[in-house]
Amino acid sequence: MSFEILGPPPAGSPRPFSEATRAGGLVFVSGHSAPHDPANGVHRGATPAEEVRNALGKVAAILEGAGSGLDRVVQMTMLITDPADYAALNAEYVKHFPGGLPARHTARFGVPTDARVAFACIALAGEST
């Protein structure tokens, strides 16, 4: 079985993972939080809802680049830093899956970041509907 690495890290990157991998008719997206680059005016978001929108926007762009989309996600992992944000994160999350919610699990994460939420997923490869 062949596979394709999508968005490999640049040389010297402190992040030792690619954005995604495509194999066996599936796209496996690494965990991504909302983009954050204050020097260029890019901020994760001031609220949990904004962070969900921005993080899922990043995941959606990766999926689109792989010829897929959020509507083809079959399994999502939601990584959160503070369980107190759970309800607010979920309230926004469900808005991004109007055709039905994919299977999901939620876990706390402790990577050195100020992000409230990050997402990783598995999606069907091929064009989104």
Side-chain angles (χ1 to χ4, degrees):
M1 173 173 66
S2 67
F3 68 93
E4 180 182 3
I5 294 175
L6 308 168
S13 173
R15 296 188 173 143
F17 57 87
S18 61
E19 288 185 338
T21 304
R22 186 173 33 219
L26 299 170
V27 179
F28 301 83
V29 179
S30 296
H32 293 278
S33 59
H36 188 69
D37 184 359
N40 291 309
V42 178
H43 299 276
R44 282 189 183 93
T47 66
E50 287 176 356
E51 282 201 43
V52 168
R53 276 193 299 275
N54 294 336
L56 285 176
K58 171 78 174 167
V59 169
I62 292 166
L63 287 168
E64 184 177 315
S68 189
L70 286 178
D71 61 327
R72 302 198 35 95
V73 170
V74 295
Q75 194 275 325
M76 179 70 75
T77 299
M78 184 169 83
L79 304 163
I80 63 174
T81 55
D82 186 349
D85 290 331
Y86 188 71
L89 297 168
N90 278 331
E92 180 63 28
Y93 171 84
V94 299
K95 296 175 185 177
H96 297 268
F97 296 95
L101 297 167
R104 188 185 96 186
H105 69 273
T106 302
R108 287 184 75 173
F109 75 112
V111 295
T113 179
D114 291 330
R116 289 181 181 103
V117 65
F119 294 98
C121 68
I122 301 169
L124 299 172
E127 295 301 317
S128 62
T129 57

